[in-house]
Amino acid sequence: MNKDALVIGLALFAMFFGAGNLIFPPFLGLESGDQWPIGLACFVFVDVVISCIGVVAINRAGGSILSIEGVLGKRAALVLNTAAILCTGVIIASPRTAATTYEMSIAPLLGDQIGLLPFSLLFFAVVLLLTLRPVRIVDIVGKVLTPVLVAGIVVMVAAGIATPLGPVGAPETATVVADGISAGYQTMDILAVVGFALIVQESVRAAGYADGKSQLSVTARASLVACVLLTLVYGGLTYLGATAATVVPADVNQATLITLITEQLMGRTGLMVLGVVVGFACLTTAAGLVGATAAYVERITDRRVGYRAALITVVVIALLICNLGLTTIISLAAPVLSVICPPFMITVVLLLFRRHIRSTWTFKGAALAAVGASLLLTAHDLTGALAFVEAAPLYVFGFSWLPPALIGAAAGALLGRRFDGRAPLPRP
């Protein structure tokens, strides 16, 4: 492991480890009880392993922002990329950063002295100012606060291992595996893989690696560094949640749980530090998300919708959704992400084998089948009306969309042969 791979791996770790991700592992541990290693393994596989593989796969495919478009076609890629952008910048991630900040930074310290509505107005007003005139404070605060946040978590996990909050009991859920996979979807890291892969590629080139083979080697090692660090941090947080069952209320939500754990292990001072760090980190994350979304809208509309108009619209929508509350946002996000994440996951994994795949139909068949299967599964989760899906392979593991996706890939490959190369796959 050379120095460049280590430095770039640390940067990739910081990109994936957003402050909003803090709330999911402890809650997963709380629900999983003594089965928390199983829940953690599922969470890490969906969130960490596949995302890091995606970074390598996209760079191996050429690293261009057009990687997805090149294998799915312009229209399908536009739909998938737009869905991802709407989730991260408008519907889920941006509102969730504000709601998380309120639950972790304001409510624990000030109680109900400040309501969610006035706080969210102030939060998104600052976000709007930061993105209307981007300044270095976003980068500076992000680079400073991530190490502080990680250091605080390391101290807290060490304290929790030395003096556990309580005994680890039986699971509170019968669906530990599915809950781990769902929590992995909720982080939405897989939807950010294309952008992160581009940043990693530029960093590798800036470090002096000119040929593709050396670039891929450094990228793979950097991704491994990020994968190991993320697994260790999330593992510690999941364990803390598993030990907290006897010291927290039964109806505790995700954000409140981590604040209660922090206060138990590090006192009121630790809670205040966590609140400040998470608040600023979420603020800069929200600014980056809404700014990127506004720029995307401007680009796909050929500037018919300007950056400022798009930005204001995005901020207003995020503000309204934020006031539904963190628990509601997370609940509403689950079915949406259950449909959008699988086609992204299968596409980026297949990109690893891009040089051995002859037709775009292979990717299109896999993505389309993943969407169709996910729609059926999500409809059943919401209504219980499609019981036949429970007989599907891997259903208990939350991956029953995978066999249809693989069948779709095989059917697409055969279709590509039938059309005699009318949809050839561009070479990277």
Side-chain angles (χ1 to χ4, degrees), residues 34-306:
D34 57 12
Q35 293 185 23
W36 69 267
I38 298 175
L40 171 66
C42 296
F43 174 82
V44 166
F45 178 73
V46 171
D47 176 43
V48 179
V49 175
I50 293 183
S51 295
C52 289
I53 286 175
V55 171
V56 177
I58 289 173
N59 276 281
R60 187 178 183 183
S64 169
I65 197 169
L66 301 177
S67 295
I68 301 295
E69 185 176 302
V71 297
L72 292 182
K74 289 185 178 180
R75 292 183 180 178
L78 177 64
V79 171
L80 202 57
N81 285 330
T82 300
I85 287 290
L86 290 177
C87 285
T88 55
V90 185
I91 301 172
I92 302 173
S94 292
R96 194 174 71 193
T97 55
T100 299
T101 303
Y102 179 78
E103 295 282 355
M104 295 184 67
S105 304
I106 304 301
L109 300 176
L110 300 178
D112 57 359
Q113 295 181 42
I114 299 177
L116 178 57
L117 177 58
F119 167 77
S120 61
L121 286 169
L122 176 61
F123 183 94
F124 281 108
V126 176
V127 167
L128 188 61
L129 290 174
L130 288 174
T131 45
L132 280 173
R133 289 183 175 275
V135 291
R136 280 184 53 79
I137 188 173
V138 175
D139 291 331
I140 294 171
V141 171
K143 290 176 181 178
V144 170
L145 289 182
T146 296
V148 173
L149 182 61
V150 172
I153 291 170
V154 169
V155 172
M156 185 166 63
V157 169
I161 293 174
T163 55
L165 294 172
V168 178
E172 297 180 2
T173 175
T175 56
V176 171
V177 170
D179 291 346
I181 292 170
S182 178
Y185 287 158
Q186 286 277 4
T187 65
M188 294 186 287
D189 286 338
I190 187 64
L191 303 183
V193 160
V194 175
F196 289 172
L198 289 173
I199 295 172
V200 169
Q201 184 185 48
E202 291 302 316
S203 299
V204 171
R205 286 176 177 169
Y209 298 89
D211 64 284
K213 185 176 181 180
S214 62
Q215 288 177 5
L216 185 61
S217 175
V218 174
T219 299
R221 284 179 284 172
S223 297
L224 180 61
V225 170
C227 184
V228 171
L229 292 177
L230 287 166
T231 300
L232 291 174
V233 171
Y234 288 146
L237 289 170
T238 305
Y239 170 75
L240 291 183
T243 65
T246 59
V247 297
V248 298
D251 59 347
V252 67
N253 66 22
Q254 287 89 341
T256 303
L257 174 61
I258 187 65
T259 58
L260 290 176
I261 290 174
T262 303
E263 189 169 22
Q264 288 279 344
L265 292 173
M266 303 177 71
R268 192 72 173 174
T269 302
L271 184 62
M272 292 176 64
V273 172
L274 177 72
V276 172
V277 170
V278 167
F280 278 105
C282 283
L283 185 65
T284 55
T285 298
L289 290 173
V290 300
T293 304
Y296 177 80
V297 171
E298 182 182 40
R299 182 172 67 84
I300 66 171
T301 60
D302 292 325
R303 298 184 180 274
R304 287 190 292 271
V305 178

Side-chain angles (χ1 to χ4, degrees), residues 315-370:
V315 167
V316 169
I317 295 173
L319 169 64
L320 294 174
I321 295 175
C322 167
N323 280 274
L324 296 174
L326 181 61
T327 301
T328 301
I329 293 171
I330 292 173
S331 298
L332 294 175
V336 175
L337 296 174
S338 293
V339 173
I340 294 173
C341 288
F344 253 97
M345 293 168 68
I346 193 65
T347 300
V348 298
V349 171
L350 284 178
L351 278 172
L352 273 178
F353 309 98
R354 189 177 190 273
R355 295 176 183 176
H356 304 286
I357 297 175
R358 297 181 178 181
S359 171
T360 60
W361 289 104
T362 304
F363 289 88
K364 292 174 182 177
L368 184 61

